[in-house]
């Protein structure tokens, strides 16, 4: 699995014009292939009068699901360059639909490839992306007396606090890059005089703080 990937945080549309043809690129996050297909269907309903509604989507941190459609454009001139742009930008869990309203000027195969790929690239730049990085999940167990300070220290150093539960002790779930595990274990022991519990769990992806 990759250490990190990029995705979009919300749905949005960006329009470009090439030789009087309008290209509307709709982007959206999609957790599953079904979500991606539902988004494609919704855009096609909205723009049923368009000349073409081409799509591409990538699902899975390892890009295990990749689909693209030229929707009537010459083979390989629309969906594939859209998909290639998503992959080149390390985009995952994302769906793109480019709606074309024909403007009367034929673009040729090269022009179509540049227009469709470019529409996706521009939309990504305008709408913005987020980096998600792979973390090891870990559980810190600490007494109530030290819990507040530990939580503040975790947040001030940019650690991802995923959950806090209060019982006889305080259980704090965090995300750690693999490379930081040993150093964190040492820091925690020092900060709590060896009283804190520390358990490593599985892996997950989380937002990278401070990313634009």
């Amino acid at each position: 699995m990759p250490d990190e990937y990029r995705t979009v945080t919300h749905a949005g549309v960006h329009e470009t014009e090439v030789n009087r043809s309008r290209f509307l690129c709709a982007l959206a996050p999609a957790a599953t292939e079904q979500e991606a297909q539902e988004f494609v269907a919704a855009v096609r309903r909205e723009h049923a009068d368009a000349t073409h509604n081409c799509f591409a989507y990538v699902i899975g941190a390892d890009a295990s699901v990749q689909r693209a459609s030229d929707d009537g454009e010459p083979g390989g001139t629309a969906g594939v360059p859209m998909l290639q742009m998503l992959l080149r930008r390390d985009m995952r869990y994302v769906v793109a639909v480019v709606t074309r309203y024909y403007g009367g000027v034929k673009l040729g195969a090269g022009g179509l490839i540049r227009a469709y790929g470019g529409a996706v690239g521009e939309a990504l730049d305008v709408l913005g992306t987020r980096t998600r990085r792979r973390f090891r999940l870990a559980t810190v167990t600490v007494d109530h007396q030290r819990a507040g300070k530990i939580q503040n220290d975790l947040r001030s150093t940019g650690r991802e606090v995923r959950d806090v539960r209060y019982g006889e002790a305080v259980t704090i779930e965090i995300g750690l890059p693999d490379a930081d595990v040993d150093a964190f274990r040492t820091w925690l022991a020092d900060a709590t005089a060896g009283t804190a519990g520390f358990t490593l769990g599985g892996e997950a992806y989380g937002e990278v703080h401070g990313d634009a």
Side-chain angles (χ1 to χ4, degrees):
M1 298 290 271
D3 284 336
E4 63 182 44
Y5 63 83
R6 301 186 74 78
T7 193
V8 292
T9 50
H10 56 84
V13 181
H14 176 67
E15 180 175 339
T16 56
E17 188 174 311
V18 181
N19 286 351
R20 297 208 299 271
S21 275
R22 292 172 59 212
F23 291 86
L24 286 75
C25 180
L27 289 173
T32 62
E33 186 168 16
Q34 184 180 346
E35 277 187 29
Q37 291 170 345
E38 288 170 356
F39 182 76
V40 171
V43 173
R44 284 182 164 167
R45 283 194 300 273
E46 184 182 349
H47 295 286
D49 59 335
T51 320
H52 305 279
N53 285 292
C54 308
F55 72 79
Y57 56 79
V58 183
I59 308 297
D62 56 354
S64 56
V65 178
Q66 302 177 23
R67 300 281 184 273
S69 166
D70 296 315
D71 191 36
E73 292 281 29
T77 63
V80 169
M82 290 168 62
L83 181 63
Q84 286 173 339
M85 180 61 72
L86 293 176
L87 293 172
R88 197 178 307 146
R89 296 287 192 93
D90 292 325
M91 299 299 297
R92 304 290 187 267
Y93 296 105
V94 65
V95 53
V97 184
V98 175
T99 299
R100 181 188 182 192
Y101 286 93
Y102 182 56
V105 179
K106 291 193 172 181
L107 302 181
L112 287 172
I113 289 168
R114 286 190 296 275
Y116 278 99
V120 173
E122 280 194 34
L124 290 172
D125 290 340
V126 171
L127 298 173
T129 61
R130 285 273 186 274
T131 299
R132 292 180 67 78
R133 190 168 292 156
R134 186 168 58 163
F135 290 98
R136 284 297 295 274
L137 297 175
T139 304
V140 173
T141 309
V142 66
D143 59 47
H144 287 265
Q145 190 179 342
R146 292 184 171 90
K149 182 177 187 315
I150 292 297
Q151 284 182 67
N152 289 338
D153 288 347
L154 290 171
R155 291 194 168 95
S156 67
T157 54
R159 300 288 179 208
E160 187 186 14
V161 177
R162 303 172 72 93
D163 190 29
V164 181
R165 293 190 301 277
Y166 296 91
E168 286 183 24
V170 181
T171 303
I172 307 168
E173 289 188 2
I174 61 169
L176 284 174
D178 265 341
D180 291 0
V181 169
D182 290 341
F184 180 82
R185 199 191 299 264
T186 302
W187 170 82
L188 184 65
D190 289 345
T192 63
T195 61
F198 181 71
T199 310
L200 274 180
E203 293 186 333
Y205 284 88
E207 294 289 323
V208 176
H209 298 284
D211 192 45

